[in-house]
Amino acid sequence: MVSVINTVDTAHGDMIHDAQMDYYGLHLATCSSDRTVKIFEVKNGTQRLLSTLQGHEGPVWQVAWAHPKYDRLLASCSYDRKVFIWREMDGQWAKVYEYTDHESSVNSVCWAPHELGLMLVCGSSDGGISVLKHKGDNQWEASKINNAHTVGCNAVSWAPAVAPGSLIEPPSAMQQANFTKKFVSGGCDNLIKIWCEKDGHWEEEAKLESHTDWVRDVAWAPSIGLPRSKIASCSQDGRVIIWTCDETTGSKFLPKVLHKFDDVVWHVSWSITGDILAVSGGNNKISLWKEGVNGEWTRISDVGKGQTTNGTSE
Amino acid sequence: MMRGNKPVMINVGSSVNALSLSKDNSKVVIAGRALLKIYNVDETNGFTEHLNLHVGRKQGLNMSCSDVAWSSVDETLVATAATNGAVVAWDLSAPGREKKLAILAEHRRTVTKVSFHNFEANLLISGSQDGTMKLFDLRKRESTSTFQSKADGVRSVQFNPHEYFLFAASFDNGYVQIWDYRRPTGCVNQFIAHKGSVYTLDWHPDADRKMTLATGGRDNMVKVWSFENNKEKEINNVPTMSSVSSVKWRPHHPEQIATVSMMLDFSVNVWHLGRKYVPFAHFEVHKDSPSGIAWKQTDPNYIFSCSKDGNLMMHAMRDASCPADQSVSSGLAFSSCGFIAHSSQTSNTMVRAQSPLGSSSKLPAIFGWKAGMKDMVEIENLPDTPLATAPRTSHFLNAKSKFRIFTSVHYETKPCVDFDDYPDSTSHIFEHMTMKNFIFAARKYILDGASANLTFSELCHYNSEVALDAGLCNVARTWKLLGVFFHKDILLNKSSTKVESGEKLKKLESENKRHSLTVKKDEIHGSQIISNTMNDIDSEHHSDDGRLQIEDYLTDIARGRQSEPDLYMTDDDPGFGYGGITSEAEFLSEHEYSYVPSEAFQQREDIELDAIAKFGHIEPPSGINVDTESEKRILTAHGGRWHEKVVPKTMELSSSPSPPANEDDNISEGVINVRPTLWPAPLDEIKEDIACQQLEYFAEMNDIQTPVVMLLAMSSYPTPVILPIKSETVEHWQSSYLDLLAKNQLWVEHAKVVKLSRVPAVQALSSSSTFTLGCQVCQRRLPSSNPWSCDRRMDGEHQNKAVSCFYCQLPVRGRYTYCQGCSFGGHSSCMAAWIKLCQANRTPIVCKYHCV
């Protein structure tokens, strides 16, 4: 068994707030309070700093990679109320777009599934959510949902674009209409909301109430296998909740508390196959959870310090 | 993101330009364009008006205040700066309205700043847009010195609180000058402090940092300077978010400094020099730009601010929002390669001890690579974070992130092997996470058996071996099962099918003939009905062709032990008729299901539970070993020992078609003997369901590879079997699988799946052919009228750069052959030549992503 292969300084001057792997898992973007975004190449157990993106005037909260079919695009959002879109050309990263329409810190960015086109959703402390749609030639059209969450929106995540019934229609531009355009957001009002685009407008489709403190992160699981929607949410109240929705529940999301942690839970993240959930909370803990056939969630691993778990016992 | 109580506040009704606190901090004076008021401050009562110095309507321009200062020595002394260049001194002790002590109209342009000497009540200094500073002695009621900056308009001026003769001034052109007021001829020191105007400066209030100066400017920076031997040195800086209009050190907190901004940002921020990127405290209550701030000197837990929106406020530090507290302190990412990247806040006091607060390199974030679960566990031994107990400031300062990437399986280690000491399920999960098996299997699976000239059972056998090599035992079993189920249906080519079916037809006919020898004609009819009913049940085989196949299959399975119609007929009462046969079949199948699945599923007992449950309880048949070895034998031998055992019996039965015995015997005999002979019939009906359930089970377990690959393999032959799975589901599976392949950069496999797919939406992927070409130089879209060259091609640089062949470097007109992965390509002929060349030289084809 191999131990630590390498230890490298990210050279971030302050706390790291987010880290994202690109589509292929070969590049890593980290963002920090030190106003920079750093791009690393991760290959065979080594990592190499490729680029440091400067331009934000406040802590950078989150980064998001676009699908590689749109080239190497990265979105970042910051305390400075701005959303930047960066693009790599011949190894050089440059800012290609700047969105400044939020009145407070922008806390979360997420790219839409590539089937929907190049689209970005941003959630801000001003309570609003913006959806930026690429119109070609680096023109972006923004539509804003005001007061999506009172006091602020902390996290956004897109639903996978499943295309039911695309067989009936010949593959054409018509097919676009078959994709579900949906995303989920979580905010300081302790609520989780699901938004759906109808006739070019974003409408609140569902409001999920269960958390008792700020919702810190939401993550819509990749849909593989079954046409079932799964959303993980975590909150300041220490709870991680899995919301599921399928035909049997009548398109209503039903909550299931995965676990109540002692500390705030910052992030939830799904594996690409959507069956393992990584949860990271206060005190440096990451735990991995897997859903069994019976729908029960089992803690399969605990990384970092914290109480030892009863492992895989069922 | 504001939490906490509302500040003590009052709206004075008009824009406030400046504020200043009295010596004992009990009163505050505010000044504006037509405003000069003194308020009493009390935390319980808030602000109450004490005195209005702006009385009467015609006050003139002398009263349009841009700044105000209250002497820190004399309670009664206030000075205001006017936009017309006058400095007005006020004596608050004077009775009645005549509080104006002196009007010092000496500057030619707006006075931007006035400042009292910290020890000499009568000394007042002013700075003006005219580029001069003037020192006034209020006893003389005129300036005693004029300091020619020779720079630009003065933005700020302030006496050093500890060095009696020193003052600092800042200018619009970015300069800061240090003067000794005894030497009006020239400054002691001057330096460029900021890009653009230096709006504000503040000497450090602490005696031990008496030569420390903070400046703030248009360039959004706060800079901290120290002076040694009159030489300035930048010792720290805080990059704020917008131009800094005012800075104020927090008394008794030597590392903290408050700032307000000139525009865009209406908040009051308190920064800590130990962590300069995130405000330590943040007040966001003003509706317009704050114009002035002042710390309550007697209790620096309070800060006053005034704003252009007319608000005067006193904020308590305890009410401040702390962006650092609210920020997410950890990052988490699941990579498609199965790694987990995680950053988390660490507070290692050792690190902090080594690094005096300050520059960026002092707060390292560690980027570690972890391999193996053992290491992941070891991390639990890290020292505990004393976050909960640490006071707020140290918590704030301990902003370091530890960055780690976890993986479970090292690249070189074989999966499954190293995890013996871990529970099986866990190791399985980690294999799953790294997707090593997925990639291995995706690479090795043969999907298109027909083009590889493999029969279906060969293909299944091969793929099963692949799955075994990848450690996917269940998948391997399912492959074998598929081979057993469908190897008669899925044939290598159609022509052979015809020949075989022809032969089988003959065989069937001969058998039928034989039947006709022993049984009556309507019973032959009955046999046809059986196959017909089976066709009805089997929704996939409506065509005559399919029916033939089924019949072939049945006869084939029964080969060597006669066909089951034979058995039916011989065992049945001749007069039973149509209804009797079907009901008999139903009875038998009902009866048999409790046995049949137990045989058919024996080899997959651990995963097929739910499927089996549908068919009833399981009775593990005696005499059959459950271990893998014997399973294999049974499976590969197709039919296995069990068949061999029963076949003789059947032979016996059919070869000696005894006349119908009495009913009792028949039943008991039937149960025992009919079972083996009949099992293909119900299996035939259920095998597709079983296969579907099995595939759906895999899909539910998030193994999308298995169902997709199996479906493709089954449909890739000239005589495909299409399982009754909803086409939407198949499409969804396939697109999910393609996405996974793409994530793992398995382009060849990706292309194979697209090629073999029968789902239109997936097939369309290979024909998505609209590409816009862009100029390599200017990135602009090429005109459709002239699609091989940029419309700025006259510029030398753009020439020939548009779409050039990598091989001959000439622009490509017409067909452009390229790699879909990286758009590397050129003329078709050149590409062909290139690939030939590469193959001849046995060199890998050079392509950016090694797609080809």
Side-chain angles (χ1 to χ4, degrees), chain A residues 208-228:
Chain A
L208 313 181
E209 282 175 86
S210 192
H211 284 295
T212 55
D213 204 340
W214 290 14
V215 178
R216 273 307 185 170
D217 198 8
V218 285
W220 205 308
S223 147
I224 281 189
L226 295 176
R228 186 173 60 177

Side-chain angles (χ1 to χ4, degrees), chain A residues 2 8-10 12 14 16-17 23-24 33 35 47 57 162 166-167 216 223 225 266-267 273 275 280 284 304, chain B residues 239 241 275 277 326 328-330 336 344-345 363 365 367 371 375 380 401 432 702 727 731-733 739 742 760:
Chain A
V2 185
V8 180
D9 197 333
T10 52
H12 271 303
D14 206 311
I16 299 169
H17 297 292
Y23 182 81
Y24 301 118
S33 273
R35 306 164 158 223
Q47 55 284 313
E57 293 177 318
V162 275
S166 55
L167 271 182
R216 273 307 185 170
S223 147
W266 296 116
H267 276 299
T273 45
D275 57 343
S280 96
N284 303 345
Chain B
M241 275 187 286
R275 190 177 176 196
Y277 298 108
Q326 287 162 12
V328 171
S329 69
S330 104
S336 55
S344 60
Q345 187 177 7
L363 297 168
F367 190 123
D375 295 311
E380 288 184 21
S401 288
H432 184 67
N702 280 290
S727 50
E731 183 192 328
H732 180 50
W733 286 355
D739 195 45

Side-chain angles (χ1 to χ4, degrees), chain B residues 282-512:
Chain B
H282 175 85
F283 303 95
E284 199 165 354
V285 274
H286 287 295
K287 302 280 185 296
D288 203 341
S289 298
S291 45
I293 43 171
W295 288 97
K296 191 170 182 177
Q297 299 291 318
T298 48
D299 181 6
N301 288 316
Y302 293 94
I303 184 170
F304 292 85
S305 70
C306 60
S307 154
K308 297 231 164 91
D309 62 8
N311 282 331
L312 174 64
M313 298 193 186
M314 184 174 71
H315 315 272
M317 284 299 281
R318 62 168 184 271
D319 296 340
S321 71
C322 188
D325 278 354
Q326 287 162 12
S327 71
V328 171
S329 69
S330 104
L332 179 68
F334 234 121
S335 113
S336 55
C337 298
F339 306 118
I340 298 175
H342 180 242
S343 74
S344 60
Q345 187 177 7
T346 60
S347 77
N348 190 333
T349 43
M350 288 298 286
V351 175
R352 201 181 150 214
Q354 288 163 4
S355 56
L357 309 163
S359 75
S360 61
S361 60
K362 305 287 174 55
L363 297 168
I366 295 149
F367 190 123
W369 181 275
K370 293 282 173 181
M373 277 168 54
K374 281 179 179 166
D375 295 311
M376 293 172 81
V377 177
E378 275 171 22
I379 289 158
E380 288 184 21
N381 301 328
L382 285 174
D384 231 359
T385 325
L387 285 185
T389 52
R392 187 170 164 189
T393 317
S394 68
H395 179 185
F396 174 78
L397 288 175
N398 279 321
K400 291 171 285 287
S401 288
K402 192 162 205 143
F403 200 93
R404 295 178 295 229
I405 296 183
F406 300 106
T407 180
S408 56
V409 185
H410 184 242
Y411 267 70
E412 271 72 48
T413 55
K414 268 224 157 193
C416 239
V417 180
D418 288 348
F419 290 100
D420 287 344
D421 43 344
Y422 289 96
D424 181 59
S425 63
T426 320
S427 69
H428 170 73
I429 279 149
F430 283 93
E431 279 165 38
H432 184 67
M433 253 169 63
T434 52
M435 303 205 72
K436 191 184 167 77
N437 300 337
F438 174 90
I439 296 164
F440 176 82
R443 286 218 173 101
K444 296 278 178 174
Y445 276 148
I446 295 179
L447 304 183
D448 191 359
S451 62
N453 207 21
L454 290 171
T455 64
F456 188 65
S457 59
E458 281 167 351
L459 176 82
C460 288
H461 182 74
Y462 172 82
N463 284 344
S464 148
E465 295 293 316
V466 170
L468 264 185
D469 286 349
L472 308 166
C473 305
N474 291 342
V475 179
R477 287 175 201 166
T478 311
W479 274 113
K480 295 207 161 168
L481 203 73
L482 279 186
V484 174
F485 277 9
F486 297 108
H487 77 288
K488 294 288 157 39
D489 300 328
I490 302 172
L491 299 165
L492 199 48
N493 52 58
K494 270 193 169 134
S495 54
S496 75
T497 320
K498 272 173 193 159
V499 173
E500 274 179 50
S501 59
E503 284 173 0
K504 281 167 193 167
L505 261 179
K506 276 177 203 160
K507 210 193 266 172
L508 187 72
E509 278 165 24
S510 65
E511 278 165 352
N512 281 346

Side-chain angles (χ1 to χ4, degrees), chain A:
Chain A
M1 190 55 67
V2 185
S3 59
V4 180
I5 297 172
N6 209 350
T7 305
V8 180
D9 197 333
T10 52
H12 271 303
D14 206 311
M15 189 188 284
I16 299 169
H17 297 292
D18 194 26
Q20 288 296 323
M21 294 279 196
D22 74 345
Y23 182 81
Y24 301 118
L26 299 177
H27 288 82
L28 173 78
T30 58
C31 62
S32 158
S33 273
D34 70 1
R35 306 164 158 223
T36 60
V37 174
K38 286 180 193 264
I39 313 281
F40 295 89
E41 184 188 57
V42 181
K43 231 177 197 175
N44 299 329
T46 58
Q47 55 284 313
R48 189 163 62 93
L49 178 68
L50 294 180
S51 206
T52 302
L53 317 185
Q54 286 168 320
H56 274 298
E57 293 177 318
V60 188
W61 298 137
Q62 242 182 50
V63 285
W65 292 94
H67 190 275
K69 104 179 188 195
Y70 303 108
D71 279 355
R72 220 183 274 291
L73 281 185
L74 186 77
S76 61
C77 64
S78 159
Y79 187 66
D80 66 5
R81 296 144 202 212
K82 288 175 192 157
V83 175
F84 286 177
I85 294 167
W86 309 83
R87 184 174 180 210
E88 189 215 57
M89 295 266 282
D90 304 321
Q92 294 298 311
W93 284 90
K95 183 171 76 188
V96 293
Y97 186 72
E98 187 176 327
Y99 178 69
T100 54
D101 228 18
H102 279 293
E103 284 150 28
S104 191
S105 166
V106 186
N107 299 322
S108 184
V109 281
C110 183
W111 289 101
H114 66 93
E115 295 93 336
L116 305 183
L118 200 50
M119 206 155 44
L120 182 76
V121 63
C122 329
S124 162
S125 283
D126 64 8
I129 295 173
S130 299
V131 183
L132 302 179
K133 216 180 259 186
H134 188 239
K135 289 286 169 198
D137 277 351
N138 202 27
Q139 295 299 307
W140 297 78
E141 180 193 85
S143 52
K144 203 168 168 189
I145 310 168
N146 287 313
N147 277 320
H149 290 276
T150 48
V151 200
C153 172
N154 289 332
V156 283
S157 175
W158 282 90
V162 275
S166 55
L167 271 182
I168 305 147
E169 298 279 333
S172 67
M174 282 296 288
Q175 208 182 320
Q176 284 281 326
N178 290 328
F179 289 116
T180 41
K181 286 185 187 169
K182 261 189 212 179
F183 65 85
V184 60
S185 65
C188 302
D189 50 5
N190 311 346
L191 292 176
I192 293 160
K193 289 182 179 181
I194 292 168
W195 306 88
C196 188
E197 192 186 45
K198 274 176 196 145
D199 311 320
H201 292 284
W202 290 95
E203 288 175 11
E204 186 182 318
E205 191 186 77
K207 195 194 304 187
L208 313 181
E209 282 175 86
S210 192
H211 284 295
T212 55
D213 204 340
W214 290 14
V215 178
R216 273 307 185 170
D217 198 8
V218 285
W220 205 308
S223 147
I224 281 189
L226 295 176
R228 186 173 60 177
S229 291
K230 248 187 316 191
I231 298 172
S233 68
C234 65
S235 157
Q236 204 102 329
D237 66 12
R239 288 192 298 164
V240 175
I241 295 181
I242 311 285
W243 307 81
T244 44
C245 165
D246 53 28
E247 285 84 25
T248 56
T249 59
S251 73
K252 250 188 103 172
F253 278 92
L254 298 178
K256 183 181 181 108
V257 178
L258 180 77
H259 190 68
K260 167 101 170 67
F261 293 88
D262 303 332
D263 206 339
V264 44
V265 185
W266 296 116
H267 276 299
V268 282
S269 180
W270 292 97
S271 70
I272 48 162
T273 45
D275 57 343
I276 299 173
L277 182 71
V279 175
S280 96
N283 293 339
N284 303 345
K285 280 179 283 187
I286 324 171
S287 51
L288 300 180
W289 300 78
K290 183 164 169 55
E291 187 179 20
V293 201
N294 52 1
E296 286 299 315
W297 288 86
T298 326
R299 194 169 188 157
I300 54 170
S301 164
D302 211 5
V303 187
K305 57 188 183 289
Q307 79 267 32
T308 44
T309 55
N310 41 4
T312 52
S313 64
E314 288 225 351

